[in-house]
Amino acid sequence: MSLIIQALQSVIVLLIIMLVGFSLMRTNVVTDYFSLDVSKVITLISLPAIIFYSVLTNINRGGLLTLFQKVLVPIIATLLTYFVCWLISKLPVFKDGDRGVFINASVNPNTTFIGLAINNILFGQAGLASFLAYFLTNNVSVWAFGQYLIEPNDRQLENREVEKFNLLSLLKSPPLLAFLVSFIVVALGVKMPLFVMNTTQLLGALVTPLALLYSGMMLYSAGLMKSLKLSTAKILGILGRFILGPLLMYLTIVVTKQIFPGLITPIDSQVWLVQSATPTMAILPVLADQKKANAKLGNDLVVLTTVLFILVLPVIYVLSKALF
């Protein structure tokens, strides 16, 4: 019963802050420009700061190898989800421009704006190291693989020059850069001054409230009511995000524990299972629009999964505690 109460309280916190953001937009207290600025503050400042601070406070030089070993678990689960979703995308229900959007909606969660916030609420400092492994996997998945699966609506557009993977493009992501810099600092054994650690801690503390406010503002800007109309493609996307992803994550964790006992801790398993059921990544409609794909499907799946996550969260949290 205490787990259910804790989960419901977490949902109430999530709901209240998101409603504040939604109301700010609805009453014109803030505009779309403000929500865009908030997202920039999160991705360019607060998120890199909390990543840097978390790596330096939770991982030592010896722990780097363990982190790189553990990250294989979310990587395998992610690759399995890609494969199953690719098979599902061959169904005739998906049109040109839908398939890559569906795959990304099912595979890549919103770890930046909701995942970290929920992790802080549910697990606190104890869950940060586990979250970092999942967050690293998710970001590499999106920018190194997922975005290249999004195809245009018009097949004729495929005659355009094919995009090639560029490793340097990953370095354009401030959170991934923060990972790289913090890993180097830890590997070299450099002790950062107290003022650096205090500054990154304070800036990182902005992530949770700002991310939830932004999610509420995004729901209003995206057109909440217009996005609630269901279709077969949307239903499959929702099932992929909330059923397939967590199921494959659970199976991967169980098999890994059998093969490598002691590698994965209970908190790792709980954090990864919860993260695997977070809403679709918020940037999906932008990527779909850039690729001339079905941006409307991407937008609707972001809205639908974000709204449904309020119901999914207590279930997946209780399951994570019961299973691990």
Side-chain angles (χ1 to χ4, degrees), residues 3-30:
L3 282 179
I4 297 176
I5 294 175
Q6 183 181 355
L8 291 176
Q9 288 179 335
S10 300
V11 169
I12 292 172
V13 172
L14 172 75
L15 188 58
I16 289 175
I17 301 178
M18 289 178 64
L19 282 175
V20 170
F22 187 92
S23 300
L24 287 174
M25 291 291 290
R26 183 178 177 82
T27 56
N28 294 320
V29 174
V30 298

Side-chain angles (χ1 to χ4, degrees), residues 16-170:
I16 289 175
I17 301 178
M18 289 178 64
L19 282 175
V20 170
F22 187 92
S23 300
L24 287 174
M25 291 291 290
R26 183 178 177 82
T27 56
N28 294 320
V29 174
V30 298
T31 65
D32 288 331
Y33 294 106
F34 177 77
S35 65
L36 290 174
D37 290 338
V38 168
S39 70
K40 290 177 183 177
V41 170
I42 294 170
T43 55
L44 297 178
I45 299 175
S46 294
L47 190 56
I50 194 62
I51 288 172
F52 184 83
Y53 176 81
S54 299
V55 170
L56 266 63
T57 54
N58 290 278
I59 301 172
N60 54 33
R61 189 183 298 181
L64 279 179
L65 178 59
T66 302
L67 176 66
F68 291 139
Q69 290 173 332
K70 287 185 177 183
V71 81
L72 292 175
V73 178
I75 287 176
I76 292 171
T78 298
L79 291 176
L80 287 173
T81 311
Y82 268 120
F83 177 70
V84 176
C85 287
W86 175 77
L87 293 177
I88 296 174
S89 71
K90 298 302 180 182
L91 294 174
V93 66
F94 294 104
K95 303 176 182 178
D96 292 345
D98 291 352
R99 296 181 181 87
V101 174
F102 159 74
I103 293 172
N104 275 274
S106 299
V107 176
N108 294 312
N110 187 351
T111 53
T112 301
F113 295 112
I114 292 184
L116 180 55
I118 290 302
N119 191 75
N120 288 338
I121 293 172
L122 294 178
F123 303 103
Q125 186 74 18
L128 275 175
S130 305
F131 173 81
L132 291 174
Y134 193 93
F135 181 85
L136 180 60
T137 301
N138 176 240
N139 272 261
V140 173
S141 167
V142 173
W143 301 112
F145 193 62
Q147 65 166 326
Y148 298 105
L149 296 178
I150 301 176
E151 81 282 9
N153 281 312
D154 189 345
R155 282 288 180 183
Q156 294 179 355
L157 291 175
E158 292 193 348
N159 294 325
R160 74 196 192 291
E161 185 179 351
V162 178
E163 287 186 277
K164 296 181 180 179
F165 169 67
N166 182 4
L167 182 61
L168 293 178
S169 65
L170 292 176

